[in-house]
Amino acid sequence: MPASPAATAAVNHNRPLETLAPQPSYEVVFGEYFPYSVHPPVLPATVHKGRDSRRAAVVIVGGGPTGLTLALDLANHGIASVVIEADPTVCSGSRAGAFTRRTLEIMDQIGVADDLVSSGLGWNRGWTYYRDELVYESRIPDSPGQRFPATLSQLQNLIEERLVTRAEAHGDRVDIRWHSKVVAFEPGSEGARLVIEHPQGSYEMDADWVVACDGGRSTIRQAMGLMMEGQRHAGRYAIIDVRIDTSDFPVGRRWWFDPPSNPGGTLIMFKKPGGMLRFDYQLRDDEATEEAMQPERVLDKVRRHLQMLGVDKPWEPVWMSLYRASALTLPSYRHGRVLFAGDAAHLVPIFGVRGMNSAVEDAHNLAWKLAWRIRGLAGDALLDTYSAERVPAARENLRYASKGAEFMSPPSEPHRLMRDAVLSLSARHPALTTLMSPRQHAANDCAGSPLNLATADEARFSAGPRPGMVLPDGPLKRTVPGGVSDAHLTQLLGPCFTLLHFTGGAGPGAALAAAVQALDAVAPMRLCRVGTAAQPGAADLEAIDTDGRLHALYGAAPAACYLVRPDGHLLARWLTPPSAAELRAALDPVIGHQPVAA
């Protein structure tokens, strides 16, 4: 369905910092349901007479999931950062609710995935209803042997709490400054100066680099007068968490269009961990927001929908807020020494599962590039690829999510008539279900990245990821002292380049090992050899593909090599082990023309 003309106008956020006025959030916290850790205000010991005497390598503005993920990722690369957070604790409410396998793989890299998965709910199903009739049941494509579920239902505040706990374990590499608000910002050619408002005294601080992770109403973006491009979508949504016995509720998302509980509107309901249900329902166009968001009216809508489902259980409200869908992005995420990530860089409608998920991917893409720039391993050209890769990813996410937003909240009567026709006919004509709300659970690739290398072997591969794609995962055995342990391929990756050598029964290759060792001095790299159970000397390899499934998945016969970036995207691949010169040529766009140790 085409976007309405009025909706496609650019949205100008170019307003002076001092004129920013708080917008009504209609957020209500009904009671304590989550064990928030409230952090006291502590003025840094390095602050004297209104000035921080220590210049920070990186200041991250915003201590939400984007900023905390970035800080932990930078710490993995040996880079310390200061996180400036205005609040005394993590966010209230469940907020983001569905987390992709790719997000969990990134969370695993920074050490929090296992805890999130153990307390979350994995799912891959969805149900769509027109009025009160089930018209479509969807399944997210999946493959066996995966370490993480296709999608995880979890609470954003719990995720943030676990990220904070992990950050505290990093000691001085992650300095979270609670109760701290940026009130003035001056970027320069060598960094930036920030003025921080703090309960125990405001102060100035300098930074070599600043990353804005401060959300949709980014202070840094506003201070720099940057304009986002895109569209606002029709429709306002009340969001509410309720606590209820969910033992007999299915795990997955359910969508209702024009249900008896919300005539003319839409409603989404899904099960959350901790005995909670999440509701997102559309406000009527003729309802004033202030009246529609009165708690008693919101709770009545939940009550009516549960009654429609025949649910007769006690329940209590936990949290509610208001959501308006926007599809906006900055044209560039790098402005000199200032970078943007997450909602500060782009606003994605929640209907595409690309809000927090894309923010986490931003952080993971940026972390290694910024770290390498700071460590002198690469120049500005590498850092420029952050924007070159993530802006197209954001635009792709916006296309998917905008289609979903317009299906959920049609911007005009013709759009609504077409949407309702699809819904009413889809039960009898399943082909029409492809027109329903699209959801993008797959990770964004970097197909157009200037870093990608198509080797002479590229066209000869019959399977496996192409340059720019994220590695597909699969089970294997990892060799450990005294034997082997169960693991997955992505667990072989780390904060460096990884050359995966699928030995296919061949020997480990001394020349290849020497080439990797020589390059490691200028581009941190390690060699991981994945063999088969039948080959001689398998115990001397890093991992064993016991059933040959990974060799087939990667088109790896006879001895293919995959060069993987620190963020898990493929840089290049060869059917046979590359020479030292071929490896170096693949790395040239990353590190430039630095000499390699003999």
Side-chain angles (χ1 to χ4, degrees):
M1 287 181 271
S4 58
T8 59
V11 179
N12 188 349
H13 290 273
N14 186 5
R15 290 182 292 168
L17 186 61
E18 62 270 15
T19 67
L20 289 178
Q23 299 294 311
S25 66
Y26 301 100
E27 182 175 358
V28 177
V29 178
F30 291 94
E32 291 295 330
Y33 76 102
F34 182 79
Y36 289 100
S37 299
V38 179
H39 304 269
V42 178
L43 194 67
T46 52
V47 172
H48 303 283
K49 298 181 179 180
R51 183 163 183 79
D52 192 335
S53 60
R54 184 178 64 187
R55 184 181 180 91
V58 181
V59 165
I60 300 170
V61 182
T66 313
L68 292 170
T69 298
L70 177 60
L72 287 168
D73 222 331
L74 286 171
N76 278 352
H77 290 275
I79 302 300
S81 64
V82 175
V83 180
I84 303 297
E85 172 53 47
D87 292 331
T89 187
V90 300
C91 72
S92 58
S94 66
R95 299 184 187 266
F99 303 95
T100 64
R101 177 175 293 136
R102 176 59 177 158
T103 291
L104 296 174
E105 289 172 354
I106 295 170
M107 291 291 166
D108 186 52
Q109 292 284 315
I110 58 177
V112 299
D114 288 344
D115 192 13
L116 302 182
V117 173
S118 66
S119 61
L121 302 171
W123 60 274
N124 68 345
R125 301 172 66 192
W127 300 267
T128 300
Y129 300 83
Y130 183 47
R131 295 175 180 150
D132 57 358
E133 178 187 1
L134 177 65
V135 296
Y136 179 51
E137 180 175 345
S138 60
R139 287 185 180 270
I140 301 169
D142 205 357
S143 55
Q146 297 298 308
R147 184 182 179 200
F148 298 119
T151 313
L152 185 77
S153 179
Q154 188 51 277
L155 312 176
Q156 180 175 326
N157 47 12
L158 182 140
I159 292 176
E160 291 187 19
E161 190 77 22
R162 298 300 182 265
L163 291 171
V164 170
T165 301
R166 184 67 177 171
E168 290 170 344
H170 272 278
D172 58 1
R173 281 193 179 173
V174 183
D175 176 10
I176 304 177
R177 300 185 181 182
W178 304 97
H179 300 266
S180 300
K181 180 181 179 182
V182 177
V183 293
F185 178 71
E186 183 182 350
S189 60
E190 299 300 322
R193 176 162 294 177
L194 304 93
V195 177
I196 310 299
E197 184 179 81
H198 188 273
Q200 297 176 350
S202 297
Y203 60 92
E204 292 182 350
M205 68 179 303
D206 294 324
D208 294 333
W209 299 89
V210 173
V211 185
C213 302
D214 51 343
R217 288 179 54 79
S218 168
T219 297
I220 303 301
R221 191 182 66 230
Q222 300 279 0
M224 296 182 69
L226 300 177
M227 182 188 296
M228 294 181 110
E229 302 171 344
Q231 61 191 91
R232 299 281 194 196
H233 287 287
R236 300 157 295 156
Y237 281 79
I239 302 174
I240 181 168
D241 295 333
V242 304
R243 187 180 295 281
I244 189 172
D245 176 11
T246 60
S247 56
D248 55 353
F249 284 83
V251 180
R253 285 198 171 183
R254 292 195 268 180
W255 295 266
W256 282 267
F257 296 86
D258 193 20
S261 62
N262 192 31
T266 57
L267 186 145
I268 307 171
M269 184 181 82
F270 59 98
K271 183 175 178 176
K272 305 280 290 195
M276 289 206 302
L277 284 180
R278 160 79 170 263
F279 293 83
D280 301 40
Y281 73 84
Q282 184 183 5
L283 306 185
R284 294 199 319 267
D285 292 342
D286 61 353
E287 289 181 296
T289 302
E290 186 172 353
E291 294 178 5
M293 290 302 295
Q294 293 297 313
E296 59 272 17
R297 294 188 62 169
V298 174
L299 300 184
D300 183 62
K301 194 77 71 170
V302 172
R303 186 177 299 109
R304 290 170 59 187
H305 194 74
L306 290 174
Q307 289 174 349
M308 184 193 87
L309 298 177
V311 176
D312 184 19
K313 296 181 179 182
W315 59 275
E316 59 179 346
V318 172
W319 169 83
M320 61 172 270
S321 188
L322 177 71
Y323 174 77
R324 296 179 177 91
S326 298
L328 304 165
T329 182
L330 288 172
S332 175
Y333 299 163
R334 184 184 178 196
H335 296 263
R337 292 281 182 132
V338 183
L339 300 113
F340 293 82
D343 284 357
H346 47 72
L347 294 171
V348 184
I350 60 175
F351 310 116
V353 195
R354 302 308 301 167
M356 181 174 155
N357 290 299
S358 62
V360 169
E361 290 183 38
D362 285 349
H364 199 47
N365 185 293
L366 174 58
W368 75 275
K369 297 172 180 178
L370 181 56
W372 281 41
R373 172 65 179 83
I374 292 170
R375 293 167 61 188
L377 296 171
D380 280 341
L382 176 62
L383 197 52
D384 286 340
T385 66
Y386 165 63
S387 189
E389 292 177 351
R390 293 308 298 167
V391 170
R395 296 194 188 281
E396 179 186 23
N397 292 334
L398 296 181
R399 284 194 296 272
Y400 274 97
S402 291
K403 289 178 182 178
E406 292 189 355
F407 198 87
M408 297 293 293
S409 303
S412 66
E413 190 57 28
H415 283 74
R416 183 177 298 277
L417 289 173
M418 184 181 295
R419 194 275 309 270
D420 291 349
V422 168
L423 289 165
S424 62
L425 295 171
S426 58
R428 298 189 303 276
H429 303 280
L432 291 174
T433 59
T434 59
L435 301 175
M436 291 186 183
S437 174
R439 307 181 73 77
Q440 170 67 322
H441 289 260
N444 296 113
D445 64 28
C446 302
S449 172
L451 300 180
N452 295 343
L453 174 66
T455 67
D457 291 341
E458 179 58 39
R460 298 167 55 203
F461 272 90
S462 60
R466 297 182 301 277
M469 296 178 68
V470 174
L471 294 190
D473 207 2
L476 47 69
K477 298 289 186 181
R478 194 169 189 174
T479 56
V480 296
V484 296
S485 63
D486 292 332
H488 282 75
L489 183 70
T490 55
Q491 291 178 280
L492 301 178
L493 308 180
C496 62
F497 274 87
T498 303
L499 185 65
L500 293 174
H501 179 205
F502 292 89
T503 61
L512 184 62
V516 170
Q517 184 177 4
L519 282 168
D520 182 59
V522 293
M525 181 186 298
R526 63 185 179 190
L527 175 64
C528 284
R529 298 160 299 176
V530 182
T532 59
Q535 76 179 78
D540 296 328
L541 305 178
E542 284 72 28
I544 302 171
D545 178 16
T546 53
D547 58 6
R549 186 190 312 174
L550 286 171
H551 279 69
L553 179 65
Y554 280 77
C561 287
Y562 279 71
L563 183 57
V564 187
R565 299 175 1 176
D567 59 3
H569 288 264
L570 181 67
L571 187 76
R573 59 181 177 170
W574 298 265
L575 281 172
T576 56
S579 67
E582 288 174 316
L583 274 177
R584 177 57 205 246
L587 290 170
D588 270 348
V590 176
I591 62 176
H593 299 284
Q594 302 180 49
V596 179

